[in-house]
Amino acid sequence: MTTDKEQRKSLALVRTQTLERAQGNAVPIEFRTLSVHVTETQRSGKDGFFKKDAKGKKKEDGLASETDYFATVDFHKLTAAELALRFNSNEALGLPQNEAQRRLQANGPNSLNARKPSYIKKVLGYVFGGFCSVLWVGVITFFLCWQPLSSPPNVTNLALALLVIFVIFLQASFSAFQDFSTARVMSSILDMIPSECTVFRDGQLVKIPASNLVIGDRVHLSLGNKVPADLRLIQVSNDARFDRAILTGESEAIEGATVSTDDNFLESKNVAFMGTHIIQGSAVGMVVLKGNDTLMGRINKLTSGRKEKVSIISQEISRFVRIIVCLTVLLALLILTVWGAKIRPSYPNFMPPAVLLVTLMGCVVAFIPEGMPVCVSLTLLMIARRMRTNNILPKALTTVETLGCVNVICSDKTGTLTENKMFVTNFAFLDQESTPEEAQAKIQKESKPNGLPQPEDSPQILALRQLQLATLLCNNATFDQETINLPIPERRVLGDATDSALLRFSSQLSDTSILGSCFNRTMEIPFNSRNKWMMAVYEGSAKQPQVIKTLFGNDITNASATKSEKENNLVFVKGAPDVLLPYCTSFLAAGSNMPQPLSDEWISELSRIQMAWSRRGQRVLMLCKGRYNAYAAQYDAKGSGSSAGAHEELARQGLQELCILGLVGIMDPPRPEIKDTIASCRRAGARFFMVTGDFGLTAAAIARQIGLFASNREPDTYDDIVDPKKNKESVSTESLEDSLGEYEVGRPRFHEGTSLVLTGSDLTKMSPGEWDLVCAYEEIVFARTSPEQKLKIVTEFQARDGVVAVTGDGVNDAPALKAADVGVAVVSGSDVAMEAADLILLGGFDSIPVAMRLGRIVFQNLQKVIGYLLPAGSWSEIWPVLINTFLGTPLPLSSFLMIIICCFTDSFPGTALVMEQEEFDLLSIPPRNAKKSHLITGRIYLQSYIFMGSMMTFFSEMFFFLYMKEYTGLGFQDLVFTFGDGAIKALLEKSGNGMDIDTFNNVHVNTGQCITFVTLVILQWGNVLSIRNRRLSILQADPIREKRRNLWLFVGMFASLLMALMVTEVPAIQEVMLTRSVPIKYWLLPLPCALAILLADEMRKLMLRTFPNSIFGYLAW
């Protein structure tokens, strides 16, 4: 028991920490999205890749304008002299003080607009949004009918006004709770400007308030300074480093530079952005953008001005509200028209203006199911709690239902579809293939006891040692010292999965503790998504200088030697073969340990090995060696004033005439549950795609292993998209026509084996028509994709009616996660990814089908809740008003009792319906088409109003007039067309029962209204037991047996009974709201009627199950 409690506490702690980690990362998401759009725009040469609406306007105009702006900015490409000329600033002296003052007065201070959240607007939205806007009309009307329209003032109308206000604030509270449960706290970006900064004015360094900075100012930055504006760096020290974590979300500092390092202004290292910090060295920069024009200012404008994405369920609820409000207005206008045209002229005493207004508001109160917003919020809340028990953390309640509509899932491969536990299974020189086990045995057999390579070792051993060192040294992973004594496969590794696999491989061949210490790293260029390679530079150690020369040549320098221009540093490079091959001119032959020219034959052999391994699902990496002359680098980079120039020179030299050391094949085993997960998603009608940076053949092989590719046939490629006739089996638009001959691009008819592999380079060439064809495939692998292309994939499917879920864990995934209909992040991912995502998986990826199932349960249960609320809370309440207006009888149900039904007695069983389990396997049906299948349909109205509602109306009105006949002697036939007290008084006198009109109205009519109320409350018990099953009989799925057990229904029914007793029996309520005690007979009579309603719907379901293709099947909800 204690263990369970500890586990629950631990899980709760993880959830709390996860949400805390996800807060405050909105700026990196906006930055990454903007940068992705800028890069894509520059590559395409167009003004962004934003879709246009029917009016020809770009969607996301704010983001589009900022994209177009930064795509054309060229400050980073100008020289220091050109920059000074453009901004009329002296390169050495800075701006004159008087010119700076003039610019400050002309252009304003360097500050950001502080947009405070409009809490008043939010509160007004809660209080006046949805049904509340109509209910406020009722409040005003009831106040007017209290006084001055009633004389003396009618206290009942005052109480009704206050009650409706309470209902409004109840709805507003639930709406606010739902929003606040969704809201995430953004990091403040208004405190990004430091209070002071140091600038050059008239050649002197002076401190000024940062708000007084102007365009063209030369700003001096030193260790620890916060950058006060967007600066173009013109001088940097060799060790200058900037922390851009506030923008990028990445903790690794970047070097400062004085020359452009990227065409994208946002990615270039010679720009320092407002709000970032200089954490090492010093720099001088010229202000090119200030205040709201800076990147931070533009992000501030984007985040504060952008409308929140409206969820699908919110759209559905808004649609339902519009329909109900329109029907309510139409009914009110109808009553008003009939009153003015017929009733007022013919029966002037029947319905005076005050009574008319109350009647109209009774129509409003009757037709609007006021309890629905409360039940919707509770439904979403309950399902969200169920998700949390399944290790799924939804960050927004409204996202829960969207999962049920998902028809496209774009998933990462590494760590999502696979275990992210990589290990090397094969390695090869171009003239020899082997396995780690074979190499380990060979080294143990032939190497010297001390483990260091010797000149007399065989060529094969020396070649193996070179490859071993490349995997060890071109690597940033290390073993956790706490596990260093464990066997190599069991040791914990600190580093990414690829580096971990290479580290284990090198350690498996032989002990590397002594070998690794013989080399000193001097420089490196880390792997990034643009270069797709890593480079590390080494020299020999002072203690063991002979090792590096034994293996790599006498021209390689070591730490103890005096450097000369003839000596080189050793360069290791690792990356994908197709990325590094253009830089290679030779390869290391294992047989001779000598480099050989890389001829076409050997390139073909390399390609053969890569293809063979890739087809087995292995990720293939190539390791190369090269030379780097530090003396030449210092000479070439002289004057650059930064380490960025040295890095550029390193990349230039290090990639020249590379020698291929060998290839390694890395296997990342698929997660054991992923095959069933993909099958479940497919069974649910969601297409499952892989989006990866891996080689196409590797990704395709993994896709076959995990069942993403269902057949063994070769998948289609871009060539088949361009010319479908080349592959007779490829998908065609004719095969995608449905039975009506209509082609729906976003939701096509899928066919077995329609698989496709596309690369990132393919995506850049595709036209909209080609995207139409791609979006018709069932099985797709997107290989060698960049973050920009991942975002492009999402937007293209969404443009074709796809409801897209995207998984991701890195900072670069944030734009795609944010753009997706449902962004899914894993708890081990980056904080920025979790901020961008809508859903966080605390467990395995197999939670996705569970989340989809729960999302569909939300929609199913909401339909049941609404189907339950409408018969009594809308249809059966409007008929008393219509009967009173058009037939002239006393009003069978008061406005107060209508509100009690809608907001209280119906809400208790309605809330219990939230707890219903699925009636059938919801993952066995296709996802809901949000554009065609709505929350409220004509069939639901038919079921709720015409079928169930009509029966409830009949029984409730029957008991009202039955009571009136029994206690007053006047039944329906007597009271119809009486239109007022005059005719009723005459009937009472004629009957001779001695009853006066006041007793008739104040006692018996009020009692009859309470009987109508009690009848509807009890009839709803039959309705709630019926509505919980759409197809099955209550005998097949009762609320008591375990499979569909829902004992909360009985709790809800009992709570509604208690509320009915309180309303009819409490003296204070009787006095103010004019209610009366109900005779016991009329508590019992509705019970068999409730059973009759249940049996009637059971007969309908029986006919539906027996004749599913009949009229019963067509009309079934």
Side-chain angles (χ1 to χ4, degrees), residues 696-759:
L697 282 176
T698 303
I702 294 292
R704 288 191 183 91
Q705 292 177 19
I706 63 178
L708 197 151
F709 281 176
S711 68
N712 291 323
R713 66 182 286 275
E714 284 299 313
D716 291 352
T717 62
Y718 179 66
D719 292 337
D720 298 302
I721 298 296
V722 175
D723 185 9
K725 295 180 181 178
K726 290 178 62 177
N727 188 344
K728 293 181 181 179
E729 297 181 51
S730 62
V731 69
S732 64
T733 55
E734 288 84 0
S735 65
L736 297 176
E737 293 182 359
D738 63 15
S739 58
L740 299 176
E742 296 174 349
Y743 172 56
E744 191 179 357
V745 176
R747 301 170 64 86
R749 303 275 184 170
F750 305 130
H751 294 271
E752 184 72 20
T754 56
S755 54
L756 175 68
V757 174
L758 292 175
T759 64

Side-chain angles (χ1 to χ4, degrees), residues 538-539 555-558 564-570 627-630 653:
Y538 282 88
E539 63 182 8
D555 65 327
I556 302 297
T557 186
N558 60 70
S564 75
E565 59 183 286
K566 295 183 179 180
E567 289 189 318
N568 298 296
N569 289 80
L570 175 64
R627 296 288 192 271
Y628 170 69
N629 190 303
Q653 283 194 46

Side-chain angles (χ1 to χ4, degrees), residues 426-594:
N426 297 85
F427 73 91
F429 302 96
L430 294 196
D431 58 346
Q432 179 183 321
E433 289 187 54
S434 187
T435 64
E437 292 75 19
E438 293 172 351
Q440 179 187 22
K442 191 171 187 64
I443 290 177
Q444 289 177 351
K445 181 179 179 181
E446 300 184 22
S447 294
K448 303 298 181 184
N450 64 4
L452 293 176
Q454 304 295 327
E456 59 270 19
D457 286 345
S458 68
Q460 285 190 342
I461 292 296
L462 293 176
L464 274 173
R465 290 294 200 175
Q466 289 194 56
L467 182 61
Q468 179 188 22
L469 280 167
T471 58
L472 175 68
L473 301 179
C474 193
N475 196 323
N476 283 327
T478 58
F479 286 120
D480 187 341
Q481 292 303 308
E482 293 183 1
T483 62
I484 197 67
N485 295 323
L486 296 176
I488 292 172
E490 299 177 16
R491 294 179 189 174
R492 187 184 304 114
V493 180
L494 307 177
D496 67 46
T498 303
D499 281 355
S500 300
L502 296 178
L503 178 63
R504 293 184 194 277
F505 167 71
S506 62
S507 301
Q508 181 181 352
L509 298 187
S510 68
D511 183 13
T512 58
S513 57
I514 300 176
L515 185 62
S517 64
C518 299
F519 296 80
N520 295 333
R521 182 181 292 190
T522 58
M523 294 181 73
E524 74 164 299
I525 299 179
F527 177 89
N528 63 67
S529 59
R530 295 179 181 273
N531 293 337
K532 296 187 182 297
W533 48 259
M534 174 187 176
M535 182 180 292
V537 183
Y538 282 88
E539 63 182 8
S541 68
K543 294 183 178 180
Q544 300 283 355
Q546 79 285 355
V547 175
I548 196 168
K549 296 182 181 294
T550 297
L551 289 174
F552 299 101
N554 292 322
D555 65 327
I556 302 297
T557 186
N558 60 70
S560 61
T562 303
K563 307 296 186 295
S564 75
E565 59 183 286
K566 295 183 179 180
E567 289 189 318
N568 298 296
N569 289 80
L570 175 64
V571 173
F572 289 120
V573 187
K574 73 177 180 191
D578 49 319
V579 174
L580 294 181
L581 189 59
Y583 305 106
C584 299
T585 58
S586 61
F587 72 94
L588 181 68
S592 61
N593 191 39
M594 295 295 292

Side-chain angles (χ1 to χ4, degrees), residues 19 53 138 280 392 490 543 568 573 622 772 821 945 1036:
L19 284 178
D53 58 21
Q280 193 172 322
I392 308 164
E490 299 177 16
K543 294 183 178 180
N568 298 296
V573 187
M622 189 160 75
D772 287 344
D821 296 283
Y945 284 169
Q1036 296 172 303

Side-chain angles (χ1 to χ4, degrees), residues 879-957:
W879 275 104
V881 178
L882 297 178
I883 291 172
N884 170 246
T885 303
F886 293 102
L887 298 184
T889 69
L891 182 66
L893 188 67
S894 69
S895 297
F896 167 70
L897 295 173
M898 293 177 188
I899 295 174
I900 295 298
I901 290 174
C902 288
C903 298
F904 298 100
T905 60
D906 272 3
S907 293
F908 299 126
T911 303
L913 281 174
V914 171
M915 308 303 293
E916 283 294 322
Q917 301 295 328
E918 58 185 341
E919 183 176 348
F920 50 89
D921 185 5
L922 291 176
L923 294 186
S924 63
I925 59 175
R928 180 174 68 88
N929 186 334
K931 291 190 174 182
K932 294 183 178 180
S933 177
H934 296 292
L935 183 66
I936 299 297
T937 64
R939 290 183 174 92
I940 292 180
Y941 282 122
L942 184 66
Q943 167 76 12
S944 299
Y945 284 169
I946 306 304
F947 185 61
M948 302 295 285
S950 295
M951 287 190 290
M952 296 175 70
T953 299
F954 172 77
F955 286 127
S956 59
E957 302 305 311

Side-chain angles (χ1 to χ4, degrees), residues 69-347:
Y69 174 78
F70 282 114
T72 56
V73 164
D74 63 348
F75 301 133
H76 58 307
K77 299 178 182 178
L78 302 177
T79 64
E82 291 171 335
L83 205 64
L85 185 63
R86 176 175 292 189
F87 294 113
N88 195 20
S89 177
N90 190 292
E91 286 189 63
L93 303 178
L95 290 173
Q97 183 63 38
N98 59 349
E99 174 61 15
Q101 192 63 34
R102 186 192 69 79
R103 294 186 184 187
L104 180 63
Q105 292 178 351
N107 301 317
N110 174 42
S111 59
L112 298 178
N113 286 339
R115 294 193 180 188
K116 295 182 179 179
S118 180
Y119 293 112
I120 294 178
K121 187 176 180 181
K122 274 185 171 292
V123 171
L124 290 177
Y126 297 140
V127 175
F128 293 98
F131 292 137
C132 296
S133 57
V134 180
L135 293 178
W136 275 113
V137 177
V139 169
I140 296 171
T141 303
F142 285 133
F143 272 124
L144 290 175
C145 293
W146 166 50
Q147 61 178 18
L149 295 182
S150 295
S151 182
N154 191 321
V155 179
T156 302
N157 288 334
L158 172 63
L160 281 173
L162 296 177
L163 180 61
V164 175
I165 290 175
F166 172 76
V167 170
I168 289 172
F169 281 98
L170 182 67
Q171 290 190 15
S173 300
F174 273 88
S175 298
F177 170 76
Q178 185 170 312
D179 280 358
F180 285 129
S181 68
T182 300
R184 296 176 292 276
V185 182
M186 263 187 49
S187 59
S188 173
I189 57 179
L190 300 178
D191 59 353
M192 292 294 104
I193 305 177
S195 58
E196 290 186 329
C197 60
T198 305
V199 300
F200 289 90
R201 294 276 174 90
D202 295 316
Q204 301 294 318
L205 269 178
V206 295
K207 277 193 173 184
I208 65 168
S211 60
N212 290 347
L213 272 181
V214 296
I215 299 295
D217 259 330
R218 286 167 55 88
V219 180
H220 182 270
L221 299 172
S222 57
L223 177 66
N225 286 163
K226 184 185 289 185
V227 180
D230 287 356
L231 310 180
R232 162 66 160 81
L233 299 178
I234 52 180
Q235 294 178 17
V236 293
S237 62
N238 287 332
D239 60 344
R241 295 286 188 278
F242 288 85
D243 178 9
R244 286 188 179 181
I246 185 64
L247 281 176
T248 65
E250 296 172 337
S251 58
E252 186 174 348
I254 66 164
E255 314 91 352
T258 58
V259 294
S260 175
T261 60
D262 198 295
D263 288 339
N264 187 343
F265 175 78
L266 305 180
E267 299 290 345
S268 185
K269 295 178 182 178
N270 67 340
V271 179
F273 294 105
M274 174 192 283
T276 61
H277 290 79
I278 180 168
I279 59 173
Q280 193 172 322
S282 60
V284 175
M286 182 176 291
V287 177
V288 294
L289 296 171
K290 71 176 185 67
N292 293 314
D293 293 328
T294 62
L295 172 62
M296 195 65 73
R298 292 171 185 272
I299 288 177
N300 178 38
K301 183 170 66 175
L302 280 175
T303 53
S304 59
R306 178 177 298 155
K307 294 181 179 179
E308 291 186 10
K309 182 170 62 177
V310 181
S311 67
I312 294 175
I313 192 62
S314 298
Q315 296 173 25
E316 288 294 325
I317 292 171
S318 298
R319 175 179 174 272
F320 174 66
V321 169
R322 288 194 300 270
I323 292 173
I324 291 294
V325 169
C326 288
L327 290 176
T328 302
V329 172
L330 287 175
L331 277 171
L333 290 175
L334 176 63
I335 293 173
L336 183 62
T337 303
V338 172
W339 179 84
K342 177 68 177 174
I343 297 176
R344 185 64 174 171
S346 303
Y347 308 99

